[in-house]
Amino acid sequence: VDYIRHELVARLGIHTDSAKLRELVTGLGSLTSLTSLNLEGCYDMTDEGVRALKSTTALAFLNLGGCYEVTNEGMRALSSLTA
């Protein structure tokens, strides 16, 4: 995750296997200026992973297309995001 730790990152697209997805999503919380995140096709994305995105307070766009493990509970975890 060190290779994406940069406070000026605004847009990011991720397509990876399940082994790396948890590490990547956990590290995204440090990207406070992240406004757009595309996780389409990350089939192993879960509610736990979505909850890890709560600290990305500038996030205005999130694509979870094909993330079939994310439920309404995971989406409610993001309801505090106001961007």
Side-chain angles (χ1 to χ4, degrees):
V1 179
D2 290 336
Y3 50 90
I4 63 168
R5 286 192 181 161
H6 193 284
E7 62 240 11
L8 299 178
V9 173
R11 297 176 64 189
L12 186 62
I14 296 174
H15 187 78
T16 187
D17 59 32
S18 60
K20 294 185 182 179
L21 183 61
R22 180 174 293 199
E23 178 184 357
L24 286 168
V25 170
T26 301
L28 291 176
S30 65
L31 300 176
T32 55
S33 61
L34 187 66
T35 60
S36 177
L37 179 59
N38 184 356
L39 295 171
E40 182 176 13
C42 291
Y43 307 113
D44 294 318
M45 184 67 169
T46 63
D47 290 342
E48 179 184 353
V50 171
R51 283 190 291 274
L53 299 175
K54 285 175 62 171
S55 57
T56 57
T57 55
L59 195 61
F61 173 82
L62 175 62
N63 184 354
L64 293 170
C67 299
Y68 303 117
E69 299 296 318
V70 177
T71 68
N72 287 338
E73 181 182 334
M75 298 308 295
R76 277 191 293 275
L78 297 179
S79 65
S80 63
L81 297 178
T82 59

